[in-house]
Amino acid sequence: MSLLFIYFVHLKNVYMQTLKHTGLGLFLLALGSFIALLFLTQYEVSEASLARIRPVLAPDQQAGVLEKLEELKGKTYSFKFSYVAKVKKQIAAYNEEMAARWGLSQEALEEYVQAALQQAQTVEGQLAFTPEGREAVQNLLPEHLRQPALQKTAWMVEAGRRFRSQEDLANNLRREIAYVGSQAAAQKQVAAYQLKDYLFAIVKATSKGIFWRHPYLFFWLIIGLGALGALMYIYPKFFDGLPGIKHNGIFHRSATSVGLVGILTGAFLISFYILLYFYHYYIAEWIALVDPVSQWLRGEDASRWFMYGFLYTVAILVMGVRMFAKYRHSNYHKIRTASVMFFQTAFAFLIPQLLYQLNLPEQDLKNIWPLDYTFFFRIEEFTATQIGTFMLVWGIVLVLVGVPFLTYFFGKRWYCSWVCGCGGLAETLGDPYRQLSSKTLRSWKIERWLIHSVLVFAVLMTGLVLYTYFTQRATLLGLNSYDVRSVYGFAIGSVFAGVIGTGFYPLMGNRMWCRFGCPLAAYLGIVQRFKSRFRITTNGGQCISCGNCSTYCEMGIDVRWYAQRGQNIVRASCVGCGVCAAVCPRGVLALENGPNTGQSRMNEVYGPAFVDAGGEE
Amino acid sequence: MHIVIIGNGIAGISAARNIRKLSDHRITVISAETDHFFSRTALMYIYMGHMKYEHTKPYEDHFWEKNRIGLRRAYVKALDTEGKSLLLDSGERMQYDKLILATGSQPNKFGWPGQDLRAVQGLYSYQDLESMERYSADLQRAVIVGGGLIGIEMAEMFHSRHIPVTFLVREESFWNIVLPPEESAMINREIRANGIDLRLSTELKEILPDENGRARAVLTSKGEEIACQFVGLTAGVHPNIDLVKATSIETDRGILVDEYLQTNVPDVYAIGDCAQLRTPLPGRRGIEAVWYTGKHMGPVVAANVCGRPTPYRQPLWFNSAKFFAIEYQVYGQVGNQVREGEKHLYWEHADGRKSVRIVYDARDGHVLGFNLMGIRYRQQVCEHWLAGRAHIEEVLQQLGAANFDPEFFRQHEAEIVALYNAQNPGRQVRLRQNRGLKGVFSLLGMRA
Ligand SMILES: Cc1cc2nc3c(=O)[nH]c(=O)nc-3n(C[C@H](O)[C@H](O)[C@H](O)COP(=O)(O)OP(=O)(O)OC[C@H]3O[C@@H](n4cnc5c(N)ncnc54)[C@H](O)[C@@H]3O)c2cc1C
Ligand code: SF4
């Protein structure tokens, strides 16, 4: 009987091990294919591909750019980097032609300036430039520049305007006329902001190869097998011994203790984000991989943001299942994981697609300013429709009422570890890395400076946006509203939130962004710290200072510091993930909402009760 | 004044920190074990890969300098209480004005044949952990001797690395000198469910060496030979008093101290595991070798050396541990059986991994102790009831206030109350208080 039982247990173990290893194999195969995909394309410029590129180009650039691209026809390119370099060169050549045709050459400019100097009149030892003088040299400029040049130099011919010397006049003329020339050329040239999208469209339209012939095959091979493999790898975790904390070996494994595997994972994630944000024309295959889904949900090919949103959602769902296995003894973790899975899938991913199909603003209705830093950029888009107007009001109500109200009752966890997308990824994909956050006092200090600076930056930036919206003026106190937006978008929105926020998961923990950068977390944190019913209660004097709670705090809070003094934990950064309470081997910690005035929330330090034992023995 | 503390464990460090809070005296803490204070209770987690040594240090390394607490890594070889000086292993002499002994414990060895072979050891110090790590490399089986808290931790440690373990326990059920039978049986089940080869009522007779002087097998009291390459000796600890044996400081099992934690020699104090109270409270031991003892004695001895005479009074007994995945908490007096004049209300969950035991006085019904398995109770609330000699039925009505489990966990208090009613015909106690801080505050009379 018991032999039979042991045999079955053994069979089950073998089965689980096989499943796990097969799953890992499939996942690695999918990951390998995903990376290899980038190198499976050849490029060929054909009539058909040019036709696909045309609609992406600005109307007055179409002919010129296509003409340049045609020069690449008749040849197959098999290296992405050299091909992209070629395309870039063709566009640069086009831009040069535009400069030559529409701009002003150095010689022409100089000729004009010298002629104009001849027309200058000496008045009381200074020079004056008259409208008549200007008129006399006007014909030296190409016809399309004459009108703009008149406008640009209007100030120079005002009555009474004097120039100190020939040189002074010449310099002013050079600057103004050169500007007119370069402006005229720029109108025809491919601008920096257009270039990346053009490159992406060109690369994609001219791509050929096995992937492009069999997109569905690769979709299933990579996304399908990848997810399946990951789930097969995760499934045995539901049966790995009795329910309880599963942290054995975390600091022995390379992947979770910044060993080689961890560093490689970090490098991969960082590269992914850099490519996604700044060089998406190099990852056209990855973006096209999800075209089938995008076609189905949006009726168009995938953009890089669609691809990102899709992979993000899949990652949260798959790694959410891992959370169910790992924390199967804890309802708190199961419920909050289900919550982030739901909000990501429905609110962040599906509903926006639906809104897009309905021609409404694509808004993630649970994303809150200032995390959603573009919210106020889009006032016009919102106010164009009634539902859009509702979204605008909803978003403002969330900021002004939702955040303080809910945070008062539940702490910032209601958002950060239950609803938020960044939090959702951190709590699922990032969970294996939570122990890597720094717990030092120094890092806490850096955290406070950094996160509140970002909050201030976000508020000022948004202030400028609103100023521009209401006054229609772009600059205030020398700050250009549009420049400030793009600096914020680049430094905070892309580099901090993406490259560092997620790329550094395996290197510095899973909440880098939430802890050091997120302006919404800063706002929620201020409410939590000063006006909330939430705290982590310390159970009397039970703490044995083991350090599990601090080690596994993803926000880098030194929980033990408080617990060993018998003090409750009230910290702005706590996202209420509840892992400290779960890992504590002595049951010392509990997340609680309760009355919060006076001493009871944070200052109470436990002292032992001294009573006579009264036992008899 | 120069205050020297021997031992940088929880006792010595609690003393040092509190002396600094109270005074500007020069403080030196000496330890032979590690440069910095670390949590001994977390040794197992380092082995299991939950943490690294760094994580077990409760204070960052700059803390000590900032608080002007001098740390000295050295072994104290001898003590001269007349000349008020210490002899360090380097040969250096160190003068003190006041001395606090906080030297902790040592693992017990009972003269088993082979107990000094290689790969035979206890688990107490950081060095023990290092040697366990060394011997783990080629381990096919480990045998652990002694069914107490450290023994089961060691079993869990090897288990975490899939190293088979045979666990020899002298008693007929795990730790039943402390745990009542039902709880003890629950832990037997938990040990076995984790695949540990648990041998109850089995003692170690002899450890057999291989040709290199390393353990290769054990012989048990049942005449069985069990092949193994490591033997863990975890049959309890005793106070580490080697240093004071040659001095005039009085000792029994530990260093004897009065209620001011002073030894018989002026200006010499002892705290923590190594200290033995001359007059413990009735029903309590003079040596309570747990973390909390050192933690509570530290501030008291600090006050005393700083000239504020403060008696040490043993706080209400509490303790906690974790047996594999089952957490254990005890508040007050819970014996390993129903003693005369006591009644026990024992509830166990159907899954056999959770239980609540409430001990109360058979005559007047006041509660005496709580024993929890797999369920967390709130210390302040339990102590409030215990100190106030609350009646069992009053406790049951408010039982939810004691619940300290995480949110969304199933609350079992109603079942416990129902069990009481069923066992006491005619009683109709109703649960009036569920889990939650509001109830706690009103119970404890705390200003919300
Ligand atoms: C593995 C393990 C797990 C435990 N788990 C728990 C638990 O969960 N809960 C609980 O309550 N208790 C637990 N304990 C018991 C608890 O750790 C001890 O009660 C507590 O650490 C004792 O603290 P202490 O400061 O008195 O002595 P120690 O921590 O032992 O410190 C004494 C120090 O003094 C040093 N020393 C001694 N003599 C000399 C000398 N002559 N010269 C220089 N240095 C010297 C020693 O090297 C040591 O570093 C556990 C113990 C162990 C070993
Ligand atoms: S995990 Fe628990 S026992 Fe360990 S330090 Fe934190 S609160 Fe204390």
Side-chain angles (χ1 to χ4, degrees):
Chain A
M1 194 49 214
S2 81
L3 259 180
L4 204 66
F5 178 71
I6 289 171
Y7 180 66
F8 276 127
V9 169
H10 175 71
L11 263 190
K12 192 173 160 196
N13 282 343
V14 171
Y15 166 67
M16 289 296 176
Q17 284 300 315
T18 316
L19 196 67
K20 185 173 162 175
H21 292 142
T22 316
L24 184 62
L26 290 179
F27 178 77
L28 290 177
L29 179 75
L31 183 66
S33 314
F34 188 63
I35 294 169
L37 195 60
L38 294 182
F39 305 96
L40 286 180
T41 301
Q42 294 89 46
Y43 306 91
E44 222 176 79
V45 179
S46 64
E47 277 314 315
S49 58
L50 291 176
R52 283 198 296 273
I53 296 166
R54 180 181 297 273
V56 180
L57 305 174
D60 58 349
Q61 298 171 348
Q62 279 171 356
V65 173
L66 291 177
E67 194 177 298
K68 279 283 155 205
L69 291 177
E70 273 195 46
E71 294 172 13
L72 300 177
K73 256 164 76 177
K75 204 176 156 211
T76 304
Y77 302 84
S78 22
F79 293 108
K80 184 185 299 254
F81 291 101
S82 55
Y83 175 66
V84 169
K86 278 240 157 54
V87 174
K88 278 185 177 166
K89 224 168 100 190
Q90 292 306 99
I91 292 178
Y94 163 81
N95 278 353
E96 262 166 43
E97 270 176 25
M98 291 302 108
R101 172 126 46 102
W102 301 101
L104 202 59
S105 70
Q106 273 304 318
E107 299 79 56
L109 175 65
E110 221 30 57
E111 193 187 334
Y112 172 85
V113 171
Q114 292 309 328
L117 285 181
Q118 302 291 318
Q119 302 292 330
Q121 297 177 356
T122 313
V123 183
E124 295 159 10
Q126 292 192 314
L127 289 176
F129 191 40
T130 59
E132 297 74 32
R134 188 173 65 166
E135 189 61 43
V137 293
Q138 186 74 335
N139 290 341
L140 289 172
L141 293 174
E143 205 182 328
H144 69 280
L145 295 184
R146 288 175 196 163
Q147 194 51 39
L150 287 182
Q151 276 171 18
K152 200 65 190 158
T153 54
W155 68 274
M156 298 178 70
V157 297
E158 279 165 5
R161 170 78 61 188
R162 300 286 178 269
F163 295 89
R164 266 174 286 115
S165 61
Q166 294 242 342
E167 207 181 324
D168 183 25
L169 176 57
N171 283 341
N172 276 298
L173 272 173
R174 269 191 208 103
R175 196 185 60 240
E176 301 293 25
I177 302 296
Y179 180 80
V180 168
S182 67
Q183 275 299 319
Q187 272 179 18
K188 305 286 174 186
Q189 287 172 328
V190 175
Y193 76 91
Q194 296 170 312
L195 181 65
K196 291 183 174 182
D197 289 330
Y198 285 11
L199 285 172
F200 174 72
I202 294 166
V203 165
K204 192 175 171 195
T206 54
S207 289
K208 279 206 152 18
I210 176 163
F211 162 62
W212 301 92
R213 285 194 301 279
H214 306 288
Y216 280 90
L217 176 76
F218 278 84
F219 176 79
W220 289 115
L221 177 71
I222 292 171
I223 308 286
L225 269 196
L228 179 73
L231 288 172
M232 283 166 68
Y233 181 79
I234 288 165
Y235 181 73
K237 290 188 192 291
F238 281 97
F239 308 95
D240 61 347
L242 297 166
I245 290 303
K246 303 289 177 189
H247 284 162
N248 288 344
I250 287 201
F251 280 100
H252 300 152
R253 275 196 293 272
S254 165
T256 49
S257 61
V258 202
L260 185 65
V261 179
I263 291 171
L264 288 177
T265 314
F268 174 77
L269 288 173
I270 291 168
S271 316
F272 175 85
Y273 276 93
I274 291 177
L275 290 168
L276 175 75
Y277 283 119
F278 308 117
Y279 303 100
H280 69 296
Y281 45 90
Y282 285 122
I283 53 169
E285 293 89 343
W286 289 353
I287 297 168
L289 187 63
V290 294
D291 277 350
V293 192
S294 182
Q295 283 293 350
W296 179 51
L297 287 171
R298 298 169 70 90
E300 64 181 26
D301 274 3
S303 68
R304 56 175 149 163
W305 306 124
F306 181 88
M307 181 271 289
Y308 181 46
F310 178 76
L311 291 185
Y312 199 103
T313 308
V314 171
I316 288 184
L317 292 178
V318 170
M319 291 299 278
V321 174
R322 175 184 165 279
M323 293 293 281
F324 291 141
K326 178 176 174 189
Y327 290 107
R328 61 188 181 279
H329 63 295
S330 170
N331 281 342
Y332 183 73
H333 294 295
K334 287 193 282 194
I335 295 173
R336 75 177 173 86
T337 303
S339 172
V340 293
M341 290 163 81
F342 167 76
F343 278 104
Q344 175 61 30
T345 313
F347 280 67
F349 187 64
L350 290 177
I351 294 176
Q353 316 305 345
L354 197 75
L355 292 171
Y356 177 76
Q357 293 270 17
L358 296 173
N359 245 326
L360 290 166
E362 251 182 273
Q363 176 65 353
D364 172 354
L365 292 164
K366 60 141 179 65
N367 202 356
I368 304 179
W369 180 89
L371 171 61
D372 181 5
Y373 65 94
T374 60
F375 186 71
F376 290 103
F377 301 0
R378 298 165 58 198
I379 299 179
E380 271 152 23
E381 184 193 347
F382 285 131
T383 48
T385 54
Q386 259 184 11
I387 297 185
T389 309
F390 162 76
M391 291 176 188
L392 184 67
V393 174
W394 167 250
I396 294 171
V397 168
L398 275 181
V399 177
L400 297 179
V401 184
V403 167
F405 197 73
L406 290 168
T407 309
Y408 172 72
F409 281 103
F410 306 111
K412 78 198 252 192
R413 58 182 171 154
W414 79 267
Y415 194 70
C416 297
S417 60
W418 285 70
V419 173
C420 177
C422 306
L425 193 72
E427 293 296 342
T428 51
L429 184 70
D431 180 72
Y433 307 111
R434 51 173 53 255
Q435 67 282 358
L436 303 177
S437 60
S438 166
K439 315 301 185 302
T440 60
L441 271 178
R442 224 176 90 92
S443 61
W444 183 20
K445 203 166 167 187
I446 296 172
E447 163 195 319
R448 282 174 296 174
W449 274 103
L450 215 50
I451 194 168
H452 295 118
S453 308
V454 175
L455 177 61
V456 169
F457 188 6
V459 169
L460 290 180
M461 187 260 303
T462 305
L464 270 181
V465 169
L466 293 176
Y467 172 80
T468 302
Y469 176 76
F470 288 113
T471 65
Q472 301 296 329
R473 256 174 287 188
T475 38
L476 179 66
L477 304 172
L479 282 174
N480 182 295
S481 164
Y482 295 93
D483 291 348
V484 174
R485 289 177 209 197
S486 68
V487 169
Y488 188 95
F490 170 80
I492 310 295
S494 307
V495 175
F496 208 154
V499 180
I500 298 176
T502 309
F504 278 68
Y505 272 13
L507 309 176
M508 298 176 83
N510 55 333
R511 286 274 193 179
M512 285 291 282
W513 161 247
C514 315
R515 179 182 179 192
F516 294 102
C518 175
L520 178 57
Y523 170 31
L524 287 155
I526 292 169
V527 180
Q528 167 158 293
R529 172 67 180 74
F530 294 106
K531 201 76 201 154
S532 168
R533 293 162 55 90
F534 171 75
R535 89 291 312 268
I536 303 174
T537 309
T538 290
N539 193 12
Q542 291 272 15
C543 175
I544 51 169
S545 302
C546 69
N548 274 295
C549 52
S550 296
T551 305
Y552 287 91
C553 177
E554 56 191 356
M555 295 303 282
I557 299 172
D558 191 357
V559 183
R560 164 174 56 192
W561 175 269
Y562 306 87
Q564 65 192 358
R565 309 169 46 173
Q567 189 179 6
N568 290 347
I569 296 114
V570 175
R571 276 280 288 268
S573 64
C574 174
V575 293
C577 70
V579 168
C580 58
V583 296
C584 174
R586 297 295 175 270
V588 175
L589 306 164
L591 278 53
E592 295 190 291
N593 307 314
N596 83 332
T597 50
Q599 296 247 304
S600 58
R601 184 162 168 245
M602 54 198 254
N603 292 330
E604 142 212 339
V605 174
Y606 171 84
F610 293 97
V611 283
D612 290 322
E616 54 265 277
E617 203 167 51
Chain B
M1 185 161 73
H2 185 201
I3 299 170
V4 174
I5 301 169
I6 306 179
N8 68 348
I10 178 66
I13 291 301
S14 299
R17 282 180 40 243
N18 282 282
I19 294 169
R20 179 51 70 239
K21 275 190 206 164
L22 295 175
S23 76
D24 261 335
H25 298 317
R26 185 174 153 219
I27 305 171
T28 304
V29 181
I30 307 176
S31 168
E33 187 178 8
T34 49
D35 289 339
H36 298 102
F37 170 46
F38 76 101
S39 179
R40 192 172 301 296
T41 55
L43 282 173
M44 66 184 293
Y45 299 109
I46 303 175
Y47 182 89
M48 300 200 299
H50 294 205
M51 285 188 277
K52 294 200 283 190
Y53 168 68
E54 291 305 308
H55 299 114
T56 67
K57 291 195 272 188
Y59 302 93
E60 286 184 65
D61 291 351
H62 59 69
F63 176 88
W64 309 107
E65 205 188 309
K66 190 171 155 234
N67 288 288
R68 289 171 293 121
I69 295 175
L71 302 180
R72 184 67 190 272
R73 178 89 180 260
Y75 182 75
V76 183
K77 282 206 309 204
L79 183 57
D80 170 11
T81 52
E82 305 277 285
K84 286 195 161 185
S85 75
L86 311 172
L87 178 64
L88 306 185
D89 50 356
S90 59
E92 185 191 332
R93 279 205 165 273
M94 184 186 281
Q95 293 296 133
Y96 67 80
D97 296 304
K98 293 202 173 171
L99 178 67
I100 300 173
L101 299 165
T103 52
S105 301
Q106 280 175 334
N108 289 335
K109 286 185 174 185
F110 291 115
W112 293 291
Q115 67 180 16
D116 295 319
L117 289 171
R118 285 177 51 228
V120 178
Q121 64 165 87
L123 172 63
Y124 191 83
S125 65
Y126 186 71
Q127 287 69 28
D128 290 338
L129 181 77
E130 289 180 315
S131 92
M132 238 179 110
E133 183 68 53
R134 269 198 310 280
Y135 289 123
S136 294
D138 52 350
L139 211 50
Q140 261 95 63
R141 177 167 295 273
V143 168
I144 296 168
V145 182
L149 293 175
I150 298 180
I152 193 168
E153 282 190 4
M154 211 188 228
E156 187 177 351
M157 289 159 79
F158 286 124
H159 179 61
S160 78
R161 298 207 188 168
H162 310 289
I163 295 169
V165 175
T166 296
F167 192 9
L168 306 186
V169 173
R170 183 183 57 186
E171 294 75 27
E172 51 291 344
S173 183
F174 175 79
W175 211 35
N176 68 1
I177 49 166
V178 174
L179 293 179
E182 291 84 356
E183 284 91 332
S184 175
M186 177 186 296
I187 304 309
N188 291 341
R189 292 195 299 272
E190 182 77 0
I191 294 170
R192 292 197 163 120
N194 277 282
I196 308 293
D197 172 23
L198 173 65
R199 310 281 183 100
L200 297 171
S201 309
T202 308
E203 285 180 67
L204 173 68
K205 276 263 119 33
E206 190 181 345
I207 306 168
L208 307 173
D210 67 6
E211 59 281 10
N212 302 316
R214 178 174 174 168
R216 68 162 172 83
V218 296
L219 271 183
T220 73
S221 56
K222 299 204 166 150
E224 202 178 343
E225 183 177 318
I226 302 169
C228 62
Q229 300 77 37
F230 181 95
V231 180
L233 301 178
T234 58
V237 296
H238 62 270
N240 177 4
I241 55 172
D242 296 349
L243 182 62
V244 299
K245 276 188 181 145
T247 68
S248 55
I249 298 172
E250 279 176 25
T251 59
D252 175 29
R253 283 191 58 228
I255 302 168
L256 288 168
V257 293
D258 62 17
E259 62 176 336
Y260 297 96
L261 305 175
Q262 257 191 61
T263 65
N264 60 312
V265 173
D267 295 332
V268 180
Y269 300 75
I271 52 173
D273 274 18
C274 69
Q276 179 176 353
L277 297 173
R278 286 177 191 272
T279 45
L281 290 176
R284 295 286 287 272
R285 294 166 205 272
I287 302 171
E288 289 178 335
V290 290
W291 184 262
Y292 313 111
T293 305
K295 196 167 161 179
H296 293 152
M297 285 181 167
V300 176
V301 82
N304 284 318
V305 297
C306 292
R308 303 185 189 183
T310 308
Y312 174 73
R313 304 187 64 217
Q314 286 170 294
L316 192 93
W317 174 252
F318 67 93
N319 200 6
S320 56
K322 193 172 180 184
F323 306 110
F324 287 89
I326 298 183
E327 287 171 19
Y328 156 67
Q329 293 180 331
V330 56
Y331 300 108
Q333 299 296 313
V334 179
N336 63 351
Q337 58 199 323
V338 185
R339 290 176 286 201
E340 214 184 286
E342 273 179 11
K343 275 188 159 176
H344 287 204
L345 173 63
Y346 179 75
W347 168 88
E348 188 174 303
H349 189 268
D351 71 5
R353 294 179 79 215
K354 282 182 195 167
S355 69
V356 174
R357 177 183 300 270
I358 308 177
V359 180
Y360 58 100
D361 189 285
R363 283 154 306 189
D364 67 7
H366 77 270
V367 289
L368 297 166
F370 296 82
N371 215 45
L372 294 314
M373 292 283 174
I375 287 186
R376 300 171 174 179
Y377 268 17
R378 207 180 284 265
Q379 183 166 2
Q380 283 103 321
V381 170
C382 291
E383 289 189 343
H384 171 79
W385 286 327
L386 291 167
R389 299 168 71 91
H391 191 275
I392 174 75
E393 295 193 357
E394 179 194 332
V395 167
L396 287 173
Q397 281 179 11
Q398 301 164 336
L399 197 58
N403 187 310
F404 198 68
D405 272 344
E407 292 151 298
F408 306 117
F409 274 40
R410 170 160 266 137
Q411 297 176 38
H412 300 289
E413 281 69 33
E415 296 164 48
I416 297 168
V417 172
L419 182 71
Y420 176 84
N421 287 335
Q423 287 179 354
N424 295 274
R427 304 310 303 165
Q428 291 291 330
V429 182
R430 278 208 1 252
L431 180 67
R432 290 177 204 278
Q433 186 66 62
N434 278 326
R435 179 191 191 293
L437 271 181
K438 220 170 152 205
V440 174
F441 286 166
S442 74
L443 182 72
L444 299 182
M446 269 164 49
R447 198 160 58 80

